[in-house]
Amino acid sequence: MKLKTLSTLVGAVTLAGAAVFSGSALAEDTIRIGAAAPKTGPLAGGAAVTYWPNVELWAHQVNERGGILLSDGERHPVEIIEYDDRTNPTETIRAVQRLATSDGVDFIIPPYGTGMALATAPIFDRLGYPMINVTAITDQTDALTDRYDGVFFTLGKTTPLAQGIARLAADMKANGEVGDRLAMVNVADAFGIELAEAARGIFEEAGFDIVYSTSYPPTIQDVTPIINSALDADPDLFVAFSYPPDTFALTEQAQVSGLMDEVDVFYTAVANAFPAYRNRFGDSINGVYGVGGVNPEDPAFVEYKEAHMDVTGAEPDYWASAVMYSSLQVLEQAIEGVGTLDRQAVTEYLKNNSFDTVMGEWTFENQQITNYWTVGQWQNGDFYGLGSTEGMDGTADPM
């Protein structure tokens, strides 16, 4: 049975493995877990790919096993309480506070998006909930983990992600495969602004001439002027630190205008690794670069992908989906490791133990996962990681 959810900020729907429990009422000892992320607003499309399906998959699998094993020797089912934060940090804060106070959940899955995570980190800390962030990417991670005892990061920092494409481009330039004229654009929120600021210095140090640079609001409707201005600058590379709606719009307009044919490197960020991106543009994105990546041939990822499709009816993305699922595996293993719902004990367990995940073995260093994919490329229908924080040691060679 697939787990279906509907919710708004003013009302939440709880869910659990009803098929597992033959339709009976949820047990009093159910582990209640809250989740607040977009179902509406600009980031709803991204959350619908990366966030919500993995919550659904994890809850389904946990309850199919009978629940999370605690020290009482019993398995306890999980009950997910969801809120739509409408892609609004104020709504996210309200939802997190309501989950902790009115709903009294045992744990809370952090929100979707860098801005939402930064807005709610103080709330998680004040309320004493461990916060295993996935879709929060910032160079502030060291400061945040020093300040907040229970805040964790899994998907990476801004500068290494910017370095991923910059280093790959620098290697290509050194080999005579690309020129030095760069057009760089970014969405004007915490994610895009940080990446663009970090990338600018890295590209300039590598000898690139930034011939066009601009930012745009997350609510942008028409990217034609941006693409046309970039095309007029005659770049060799086009790099966009973008969010899902603009990733699709920029790619489409780049094809219409001919920019994609004119540049040697075309790169966009969030949603580039979505199956919908491949399905929308087909073979035309062969060779297109993007943020993050996976090893699509890894047996663990293949097994995860099959389970994801079986339970949710959809294919996971090729970057953050598996990381999102891994973060929930980590939460489950930490709860079982402690054997209770003591949030402080779970936080300490997270800091001091290793975890078996779809992404491999995870051990937090200063409350952060330090090895992660930084840049990938579409190759014949799959998105391959080309470089990571350990170097350009990808699962495939650049096309």
Side-chain angles (χ1 to χ4, degrees):
M1 175 179 177
K2 296 178 182 176
L3 304 177
K4 301 295 183 182
T5 65
L6 290 172
S7 62
T8 66
L9 187 62
V10 295
V13 176
T14 61
L15 58 106
V20 176
F21 299 103
S22 305
S24 61
L26 290 171
E28 291 182 2
D29 56 0
T30 295
I31 299 173
R32 293 162 57 82
I33 297 178
K39 288 179 179 288
T40 55
L43 296 186
V49 175
T50 299
Y51 188 96
W52 292 116
N54 284 291
V55 174
E56 177 182 356
L57 171 61
W58 176 73
H60 173 88
Q61 291 182 326
V62 168
N63 287 341
E64 197 172 51
R65 294 191 293 270
I68 295 177
L69 181 64
L70 298 183
S71 57
D72 61 6
E74 300 292 332
R75 289 192 172 273
H76 298 253
V78 297
E79 173 189 4
I80 308 295
I81 301 175
E82 301 184 358
Y83 287 107
D84 175 11
D85 69 11
R86 306 174 188 174
T87 318
N88 183 321
T90 300
E91 301 288 351
T92 312
I93 291 170
R94 290 174 180 168
V96 170
Q97 290 174 327
R98 180 169 181 174
L99 285 165
T101 56
S102 298
D103 297 315
V105 296
D106 298 298
F107 297 93
I108 301 175
I109 301 168
Y112 179 88
T114 301
M116 311 305 176
L118 296 181
T120 55
I123 311 299
F124 274 79
D125 180 69
R126 178 171 59 82
L127 298 174
Y129 283 83
M131 186 186 196
I132 311 173
N133 287 293
V134 175
T135 58
I137 298 170
T138 174
D139 275 344
Q140 300 179 49
T141 55
D142 289 339
L144 290 166
T145 54
D146 287 344
R147 182 183 308 165
Y148 302 127
D149 185 60
V151 173
F152 299 81
F153 294 92
T154 62
L155 202 60
K157 295 182 179 182
T158 303
T159 295
L161 291 179
Q163 286 171 336
I165 182 60
R167 286 175 175 170
L168 185 143
D171 287 346
M172 294 176 68
K173 182 165 74 74
N175 293 330
E177 299 169 354
V178 65
D180 61 3
R181 296 174 62 83
L182 167 67
M184 186 174 69
V185 305
N186 67 275
V187 61
D189 85 332
F191 168 81
I193 292 170
E194 276 201 33
L195 274 168
E197 288 179 350
R200 183 179 302 278
I202 297 168
F203 274 114
E204 289 177 344
E205 186 178 345
F208 288 94
D209 179 18
I210 301 177
V211 295
Y212 176 70
S213 177
T214 192
S215 62
Y216 53 85
T219 55
I220 192 170
Q221 297 296 313
D222 183 10
V223 301
T224 303
I226 293 173
I227 292 297
N228 287 345
S229 294
L231 184 60
D232 289 344
D234 190 28
D236 300 303
L237 308 87
F238 177 82
V239 173
F241 297 114
S242 51
Y243 265 153
D246 29 305
T247 291
F248 279 83
L250 290 166
T251 302
E252 183 170 11
Q253 192 58 38
Q255 292 183 335
V256 170
S257 70
L259 174 66
M260 189 176 287
D261 294 327
E262 293 295 322
V263 296
D264 297 309
V265 169
F266 186 86
Y267 169 103
T268 56
V270 182
N272 182 298
F274 285 8
Y277 188 80
R278 175 203 58 209
N279 297 343
R280 172 81 168 271
F281 299 110
D283 291 340
S284 69
I285 60 166
N286 232 15
V288 165
Y289 297 92
V291 67
V294 295
N295 178 358
E297 299 174 8
D298 179 69
F301 180 82
V302 172
E303 182 180 359
Y304 156 73
K305 177 181 173 181
E306 291 174 351
H308 191 287
M309 295 177 68
D310 181 57
V311 173
T312 72
E315 190 176 353
D317 74 44
Y318 287 78
W319 176 35
S321 277
V323 179
M324 181 71 197
Y325 180 78
S326 294
S327 75
L328 298 170
Q329 289 182 300
V330 166
L331 176 62
E332 178 185 357
Q333 291 171 36
I335 295 171
E336 289 195 340
V338 171
T340 73
L341 304 182
D342 183 328
R343 289 189 287 271
Q344 183 58 45
V346 168
T347 296
E348 291 304 314
Y349 193 93
L350 289 168
K351 292 179 180 180
N352 297 300
N353 290 275
S354 296
F355 303 89
D356 183 22
T357 80
V358 166
M359 297 299 292
E361 184 179 281
W362 273 7
T363 304
F364 289 98
E365 299 178 20
N366 189 31
Q367 298 161 224
Q368 302 171 59
I369 298 302
T370 58
N371 184 30
Y372 45 86
W373 294 107
T374 59
V375 60
Q377 184 185 50
W378 282 103
Q379 299 185 10
N380 302 316
D382 284 318
F383 189 72
Y384 284 84
L386 298 181
S388 73
T389 49
E390 292 190 345
M392 305 309 292
D393 54 356
T395 61
D397 293 326
M399 294 181 64

